[in-house]
Amino acid sequence: MAEVAPPQAIETDQPPLPPSDQEQQQQQEQDGDVDMTPKGEDSEEQQEAKEGEEVEDEGEKIPEDACETLYLQNLNEKVRIPVITETLFSLFKPYRPLHPVIAHRNVRMRGQAFISFPDVKSANEARKDVLEFPLYGKPIQISFARGRSDSIVKKSDGDEKFDEHKAKRLEEKKKRRRDNPLRQKAQAKLKAEETGAAPAKKQRLQMPDEYLPPNSVLFIQNLPEGTTSDDLREVFEVHAGLVEIRTIPAKKDIAFVEFVDENAATVAKDALHNFKIDGETKMKVTYARK
């Protein structure tokens, strides 16, 4: 059997075609040189770098009310003061806290403390990192103190500024105590006891006339000027059981009308409330206070 020679390449004068885009991409993928990230999107490494930059920028922002001292709340009141201050100092140790940690035994300041740091940046980092840390079973609430502590002022501004700061702080403290309403009330009571004057009695709230319990005496109000007992008798005697009519010389717009019993008084009250005794002015009729 005759051997068949392999086909020979046909020679042409045309140059070879360049590889298509798809063939180039496939070749690059095989070589490991292609970026598989879709167009318009960042790679995973780029996204992580951007996120890191955003977190860093956010961490550098310090609130406008920031200072070197933090105010701690919601501390466990059952823990003794020396223990809580030592624990707080150890807890904030990575942020270089300054001695002493301030905590008070009085009732008003229980569960609260103040701790200072060398600078505002350290205080801000400590505030963010330790916020709501569960210390002795209670999450710590942290905010910046309203003013700078004595230790910070003395360290950063010197003795002269410290003396001014301390004097101003003590004056503000005295003013707050002086203006405290509870303190003012206690002082007024003590002064009244010393002088023998009776303390001012708190005004008791009275039940409105419309809701008073029934009785045999009616209280008449809003009488027109010039109303006499005879005028009232003429109006009220049409109802059975009238006993007496009493006017008040000092206050001519009121009067009392008495009946034999509650039932007779009730009938007259219901009939004559808002009655215009002079044709214009409505008189108010209620039960009298006992």
Side-chain angles (χ1 to χ4, degrees):
M1 185 174 180
E3 294 182 357
V4 179
Q8 296 180 356
I10 300 176
E11 295 182 0
T12 62
D13 296 335
Q14 296 179 355
L17 294 174
S20 65
D21 293 341
Q22 184 176 2
E23 292 174 342
Q24 289 180 359
Q25 183 174 352
Q26 291 176 349
Q27 182 63 35
Q28 289 175 344
E29 290 177 2
Q30 294 175 1
D31 296 340
D33 296 335
V34 67
D35 184 3
M36 298 298 293
T37 305
K39 292 183 179 180
E41 297 184 8
D42 294 331
S43 66
E44 185 177 350
E45 292 79 2
Q46 291 173 329
Q47 290 179 351
E48 291 179 356
K50 284 187 176 181
E51 290 176 358
E53 291 175 358
E54 292 176 357
V55 171
E56 184 178 356
D57 292 341
E58 184 178 352
E60 292 177 356
K61 294 179 180 178
I62 298 178
E64 296 181 358
D65 64 341
C67 67
E68 301 92 337
T69 301
L70 296 180
Y71 172 48
L72 314 181
Q73 296 175 276
N74 199 41
L75 302 177
N76 195 322
E77 300 176 9
K78 297 180 180 179
V79 181
R80 294 186 299 112
I81 296 296
V83 176
I84 198 74
T85 54
E86 184 177 352
T87 304
L88 287 173
F89 192 85
S90 299
L91 178 62
F92 284 94
K93 195 170 184 179
Y95 310 96
R96 300 173 297 139
L98 302 177
H99 276 299
V101 177
I102 305 299
H104 299 282
R105 291 182 173 84
N106 62 67
V107 177
R108 187 174 61 88
M109 293 298 292
R110 282 181 184 174
Q112 305 170 58
F114 295 89
I115 184 168
S116 298
F117 299 86
D119 51 63
V120 176
K121 184 178 179 182
S122 299
N124 187 47
E125 291 177 355
R127 178 184 63 88
K128 294 188 301 179
D129 295 347
V130 186
L131 180 64
E132 296 191 350
F133 179 87
L135 184 65
Y136 295 115
K138 300 185 69 174
I140 307 176
Q141 301 301 319
I142 308 177
S143 59
F144 289 107
R146 288 184 295 181
R148 305 173 72 196
S149 68
D150 290 352
S151 58
I152 289 294
V153 174
K154 189 172 184 178
K155 179 181 177 181
S156 59
D157 298 347
D159 292 340
E160 185 176 351
K161 292 288 185 180
F162 169 71
D163 292 338
E164 294 178 5
H165 164 80
K166 188 174 182 179
K168 183 179 179 180
R169 180 175 61 79
L170 292 177
E171 182 61 31
E172 291 177 351
K173 184 178 180 180
K174 289 180 182 178
K175 186 177 183 300
R176 286 196 300 269
R177 292 187 63 189
R178 186 170 58 247
D179 296 341
N180 188 304
L182 295 177
R183 181 181 176 86
Q184 291 177 346
K185 184 177 180 180
Q187 288 180 338
K189 183 178 180 181
L190 180 62
K191 186 176 180 181
E193 291 176 354
E194 292 176 351
T195 58
K201 293 184 178 180
K202 184 178 180 180
Q203 185 177 3
R204 296 176 59 185
L205 295 176
Q206 290 187 334
M207 183 182 297
D209 297 337
E210 293 81 355
Y211 301 100
L212 291 172
N215 68 85
S216 60
V217 180
L218 298 179
F219 179 42
I220 318 302
Q221 303 176 71
N222 199 37
L223 294 174
E225 186 177 356
T227 302
T228 65
S229 59
D230 292 336
D231 296 332
L232 291 172
R233 183 175 298 278
E234 184 179 347
V235 173
F236 281 91
E237 68 181 359
V238 297
H239 299 281
L242 178 64
V243 174
E244 183 184 9
I245 294 177
R246 299 190 298 272
T247 57
I248 310 300
K251 297 199 68 176
K252 298 181 179 181
D253 60 337
I254 65 173
F256 293 92
V257 178
E258 185 176 356
F259 284 82
V260 293
D261 54 34
E262 292 179 2
N263 293 334
T266 300
V267 172
K269 180 182 82 69
D270 294 341
L272 296 175
H273 179 60
N274 288 332
F275 177 77
K276 297 178 181 180
I277 195 169
D278 63 348
E280 296 180 358
T281 308
K282 293 180 180 181
M283 65 180 183
K284 182 178 179 181
V285 183
T286 62
Y287 296 113
R289 297 180 186 275
K290 290 185 178 180

